[in-house]
Amino acid sequence: RHVTPKQVKKVMDGSINPFTNQPFTAQYKRILESRKKLPVYTQMEEFYRMFNKNQILIMVGETGSGKTTQIPQFVCYTDLPHTKGKLVCCTQPRRVAAMSVAKRVADEMDVPLGKEVGYSIRFEDMTEPGTTFLKYMTDGVLLREAMNDPNLTRYSTIILDEAHERTLATDILMGLLKNLARRRTDLKIIVMSATLDALKFQKYFSLKQGKPAPLFKVPGRTYPVEVFYTREPQLDYVEAAMRTVLMIHRTEDPGDILLFLTGEEEIEDACRKIQAEADDLQKQDPGSIGPLACIPLYSSLPPSQQQRIFDPPPSSRSVISPPGRKVVVSTNIAETSLTIDGIVYVIDSGFSKQKLYNPRMRVESLLVSPISKASAQQRAGRAGRTRPGKCYRLYTEHVFMTELEEQTHPEILRSNLANTVLELAKLGIKDLVRFDYVDAPAPETLMRALELLNYLSALDDECNMTPLGAIMAEFPLEPQMAKMLIVSPKFNCSNEILTIVAMLSVPNIWNRPIFMRREADSAKRSLEVPEGDHLTLLNVYNCYVQNIHNKRWAWDNFLSQRSLLQANNIRAQLKRYMEKFDIGLISTRDEIQLYVNIRQALVCGFFMQVAHKGAGEVAYVTVKVPEVVSLHPSCGLSGESEWVLFDEFVLTGGAYVRTVTAVKPEWLLEFAPKYYDINSFPNGKMKNALLQVQKNMRTPSLSIGAKKKKNKSKNK
Ligand code: ADP
Ligand code: MG
């Protein structure tokens, strides 16, 4: 009854695309030949045998074996989702991976991206309803879909990919799908992972009799990788990484290099320097040193730039010159999510940016932290895909053995759960403690999430979702941001808050080139609004829109054209959400009043992110959970403001608050009375300051009341 592997292979090798009825192109045939060499492809029979027999399948296979690109296609060939109006989806923890893989698979299936094969990530949907039957998407987007359709009826097969990454959304999805599988016996589920630690998932998804879920294992085919450590600890891993790249380029055989660093700025900087030095070397000695192309890879890179990592290395410039070399400088996206062919040398800095949550301080931050042993092994493995390779670890063997953790902790143990709790509440899951987690979060973290949602009035005191909470859950935004946006019409500034939310949702807009720092800073100053950075963001956006036809405007003002464009796009999408929930777009004419209104609306969302500086003090202290913080150097707030509200808490070389706006303490008491219940503050300067404010607020009304009483008594 099932489609047989033989039939599938025959169709794949045929001349007509069964999904479009168009003849296959030459490109299709070329790619098909390379696909046939992938370990997953050679296991097609085994896959179909297990897929047809089981509702839930756990799959493991080495990175690069073809899981992400091939398995969803195999499923389509047997599931035939397009014939029954269904979809097959495959989740990815990372946006870049979802986009890049969808593009690749569209090519492999010989269809345009966004038609039969598409992707969906937050704020960007590249699918066509009715046409798309294979959808790559971030795990977060599928989780949001589950909120409105708990049975996920539109899917016939759901593939959770990169499960070993243990992202928050994937973990929650595993819990939901485990439950859903009982209700929807027609739904097929595949959980794919790159590490051999699949037993955890097998046990989690165990069958009725307690037997572990079936495992489909694709044998890896990797070559030995020689691992080198540094003799001494490196003070500056970026510097050490650059030296290592150039050393390999000068002395090692042909083969591309993959360098793992931690973030956009660091990567761009390293690329520039490596490129300059390599160009110099080559100029000096073109006979023995080939050309080098240094290519960055990080999540905020635009899609066209992301594709560059798959370009072939530069060709040598003359017959006497050695072949060229490609260096990809990447965040840990390239650890398991994307595979770049031709990598022979891996340089592992030993660090990555990781999310950390401190429930006491209620802050989540991205911190450059040491990776785990499992990550280090994955990184090394990238060097041995096509032939024996080398991995240079920029740390000592002693550090590897004694200081690195075995595994990276699952994200659910390192995150602020406010958003997740709200999503679960929307799904009707109230008993968060008894939810079937793969790894249960710390009770304190759950408590903090419930508390935050209660302060934001998304949940009532019995943890029931309020009507406001139900709307908040629909917005693809953090709860504070959603709350602020939803209440902003009351302050006659929803038009502006919408802009601010969009601007807060994009990567850094300020360019600050090394050699033009002064010019960049002065351009920034001319755009700044003295009352605060949120208003500055609004001003930048408005100026950008006014100058939208002037292509040089962003460049001249040292602003990121890409981020501004993205903000514009996000704004348009959020506007549609506002229309859907009938939230009016309102503005205030008078600019002074408008700025006051905006700052008041900010308080409604971010009242928990406020810091206070007493008279004569130098440092700010955060409210309720006292922590000494400084204003980030990028902050444009002028003058001494006693109370400030901030968007972000950053811990790099000290505790800083970033994107800061001055607020009035009266607003805190008025718009967040529950949180600013003065009795809940410990005795001290902050409490005294608030008491004083409260007294001043009350005095006028009290005196009126007193007068009235007097009058009354007189009348008697
Ligand atoms: P896995 O999911 O098992 O890690 P993938 O399915 O992602 O493996 O990759 C299989 C192969 O497809 C790899 O050899 C990879 O290089 C290739 N590939 C994936 N995306 C692209 C692309 N955009 N361009 C060229 N090759 C690609
Ligand atoms: Mg993959």
Side-chain angles (χ1 to χ4, degrees), residues 313-367:
S315 48
S316 70
R317 302 201 178 124
S318 69
V319 274
I320 55 150
S321 171
R325 200 190 297 272
K326 175 166 81 176
V327 181
V328 177
V329 186
S330 171
T331 62
N332 57 352
I333 294 176
E335 195 175 290
T336 62
S337 302
L338 290 178
T339 297
I340 307 152
D341 289 327
I343 299 294
V344 178
Y345 307 97
V346 164
I347 304 170
D348 173 12
S349 62
F351 289 92
S352 70
K353 263 197 192 157
Q354 291 168 32
K355 207 197 260 180
L356 281 176
Y357 180 61
N358 178 337
R360 190 187 71 81
M361 288 194 51
R362 305 168 169 84
V363 291
E364 186 180 76
S365 37
L366 274 177
L367 274 187

Side-chain angles (χ1 to χ4, degrees), residues 38 40 61-70 100-101 103-104 108 161-162 307 310 336-341 385:
L38 292 171
V40 165
E62 205 73 56
T63 306
S65 57
K67 297 183 298 298
T68 310
T69 51
Q70 306 311 306
S100 162
V101 171
K103 169 82 180 75
R104 169 69 176 182
E108 289 190 4
D161 196 4
E162 302 272 282
Q307 285 303 112
F310 297 107
T336 62
S337 302
L338 290 178
T339 297
I340 307 152
D341 289 327
R385 287 236 313 123

Side-chain angles (χ1 to χ4, degrees), residues 539-583:
N539 187 40
V540 168
Y541 177 85
N542 288 341
C543 293
Y544 162 72
V545 172
Q546 274 161 27
N547 292 283
I548 202 124
H549 298 297
N550 175 359
K551 289 219 163 60
R552 288 191 53 91
W553 185 82
W555 176 263
D556 289 343
N557 286 282
F558 295 90
L559 291 163
S560 159
Q561 177 84 31
R562 194 204 319 151
S563 291
L564 289 170
L565 201 67
Q566 209 181 338
N568 204 17
N569 189 349
I570 290 175
R571 190 182 189 281
Q573 296 193 44
L574 288 174
K575 193 169 154 227
R576 284 199 285 279
Y577 278 94
M578 290 176 74
E579 282 155 8
K580 186 168 156 196
F581 296 103
D582 218 6
I583 301 166

